[in-house]
Amino acid sequence: MEIRSTYRSGELAERIGRYVTTDGTHEMSIPGLRFIRASRISEPVHAVYEPSLCVVAQGSKVVSLGGRSYTYDPASYLTASVHLPITGQVVEASPEAPYLCVQLQLDMNQVLEVIERSNQVRKPARKLGSGLVVSRLTESLLDAVLRLVRMLDAPQDIPVLASGVIREIVYRLLQDEQNAAIKQFALLGSQAQRIAKVIERLNREFTQSIRVEALAEEARMSVSSLYNCFKEVTGMSPIQYQKQLRLQEARRLLFTENLEAAEAAFQVGYESPSHFSREYTRKFGLPPMKDLLRLRETLNGRNQTFSKYK
């Protein structure tokens, strides 16, 4: 089985390498499918992970969330069940053997459909888990991912067959006990699903002033329960989560729209430019404009573009 899995990972790397020859994140013709390539060890990159599956074909990466670190490589895979502001770093890559990864966005409606069609147990979890999980890659999941990627060579098959293979991938994910959290986030009315709704609101309204009491009321929880559950899923409090979104969006605005630091601060919801500058420096290690210069040198040197989502 080990030899077969190694062979499949090698084929997956070869196919990704044929489709993407430059570093960065590349959208494929199958909706929700992306290939990610990096030809060298990277600096820490701040981004927001969408609900998704990440399977590494070559190299390895470390992702940090709320003080926790997760490493994944060709022997493992990562799933994000909700939008999460992370810091990621490619730790194994070279021009001869670049980091190559498949990312597939997860649709929670489709997850719920698979749960219902497969008659899986739909009971609340006793304890919420992290929204980010790294698990050992099974041969059945790798095989399904590889069949989806092979479909890029037969584009006429994509409209008819891709959705079925994606459902199989979701089914394989749900068979992994570590992915119990994915089930919970898909189940209407579950505690995890209510936290997911709070996360959706924070992503939608992160520039606005939001009271934690209002979030707790919307989630039908006490403030203390919301805080504890939210931290279990994201590794941070709702206010810390909102701050991460604001700072990452401000950084994107500085880079892509050439705004002054004060203007970027106001656009993401800060009332005090000095407060923004202090928090920005604490997050990224340099004041806004100095960080912008560093970021431009780094990305331009690697022919990459700045993206909010990964």
Side-chain angles (χ1 to χ4, degrees):
M1 181 177 291
E2 182 72 27
I3 295 175
R4 291 171 65 187
S5 296
T6 301
Y7 175 80
R8 284 188 170 90
S9 291
E11 181 186 347
L12 186 60
E14 186 274 330
R15 287 180 178 274
I16 296 172
R18 279 198 284 116
Y19 273 91
V20 296
T21 57
T22 58
D23 290 355
T25 300
H26 305 265
E27 301 283 347
M28 296 293 104
S29 56
I30 297 174
L33 182 67
R34 298 168 179 159
F35 289 164
I36 302 170
R37 182 186 192 275
S39 59
R40 67 184 79 183
I41 294 172
S42 72
E43 297 295 323
V45 175
H46 304 273
V48 177
Y49 266 4
E50 301 170 289
S52 57
L53 159 71
C54 295
V55 176
V56 173
Q58 187 168 271
S60 64
K61 187 174 185 176
V62 175
V63 171
S64 298
L65 172 71
R68 308 170 191 165
S69 292
Y70 305 81
T71 301
Y72 56 110
D73 55 27
S76 55
Y77 69 93
L78 177 143
T79 50
S81 301
V82 289
H83 286 77
L84 296 167
I86 59 91
T87 302
Q89 183 174 19
V90 173
V91 294
E92 183 183 343
S94 68
E96 297 75 26
Y99 169 82
L100 299 170
C101 177
V102 174
Q103 184 185 55
L104 179 66
Q105 290 178 279
L106 297 177
D107 180 345
M108 286 302 156
N109 291 324
Q110 187 175 54
V111 172
L112 181 58
E113 175 193 342
V114 173
I115 291 172
E116 292 175 339
R117 292 182 62 178
S118 58
N119 294 317
Q120 298 194 36
V121 178
R122 297 181 56 179
K123 61 181 180 180
R126 293 182 179 179
K127 183 181 178 182
L128 279 174
S130 173
L132 206 64
V133 174
V134 171
S135 304
R136 183 171 181 79
L137 182 62
T138 63
E139 188 171 352
S140 58
L141 177 58
L142 177 57
D143 179 66
V145 170
L146 185 54
R147 280 188 280 112
L148 183 68
V149 170
R150 286 172 182 158
M151 210 169 290
L152 294 171
D153 288 344
Q156 71 276 6
D157 294 345
I158 292 173
V160 178
L161 301 178
S163 60
V165 179
I166 292 172
R167 274 196 297 272
E168 180 186 347
I169 289 171
V170 171
Y171 175 72
R172 298 301 179 192
L173 289 177
L174 293 173
Q175 289 180 311
D176 189 332
E177 291 184 3
Q178 290 194 77
N179 280 324
I182 294 179
K183 294 182 186 180
Q184 295 303 309
F185 284 110
L187 296 179
L188 297 175
S190 69
Q191 195 176 53
Q193 204 262 349
R194 283 180 276 155
I195 293 296
K197 291 295 184 183
V198 171
I199 288 174
E200 286 178 12
R201 180 176 175 184
L202 287 172
N203 273 271
R204 188 173 62 248
E205 303 175 9
F206 69 88
T207 64
Q208 302 178 24
S209 177
I210 300 177
R211 295 169 53 252
V212 176
E213 292 78 6
L215 295 175
E217 182 178 352
E218 182 177 327
R220 304 192 306 279
M221 295 179 176
S222 67
V223 171
S224 60
S225 292
L226 173 67
Y227 178 88
N228 291 333
C229 292
F230 196 96
K231 191 163 187 178
E232 185 64 29
V233 171
T234 68
M236 62 193 83
S237 71
I239 298 303
Q240 290 171 328
Y241 182 98
Q242 182 187 44
K243 183 190 298 183
Q244 298 301 308
L245 295 179
R246 285 181 170 183
L247 291 173
Q248 290 191 21
E249 175 63 6
R251 197 183 198 210
R252 187 191 69 81
L253 290 171
L254 287 170
F255 184 81
T256 61
E257 300 189 17
N258 296 317
L259 299 182
E260 294 293 329
E263 178 61 25
F266 290 137
Q267 284 202 25
V268 299
Y270 280 89
E271 296 180 358
S272 166
S274 59
H275 181 211
F276 165 73
S277 183
R278 286 195 300 272
E279 293 201 334
Y280 188 102
T281 302
R282 194 155 43 238
K283 170 70 174 175
F284 299 116
L286 287 173
M289 302 319 291
K290 288 185 178 180
D291 177 60
L292 180 60
L293 291 175
R294 177 183 64 179
L295 187 62
R296 281 178 174 158
E297 290 175 358
T298 300
L299 294 181
N300 289 341
R302 299 182 183 183
N303 193 30
Q304 289 180 254
T305 56
F306 190 97
S307 175
K308 177 180 178 181
Y309 291 103
K310 291 292 182 183

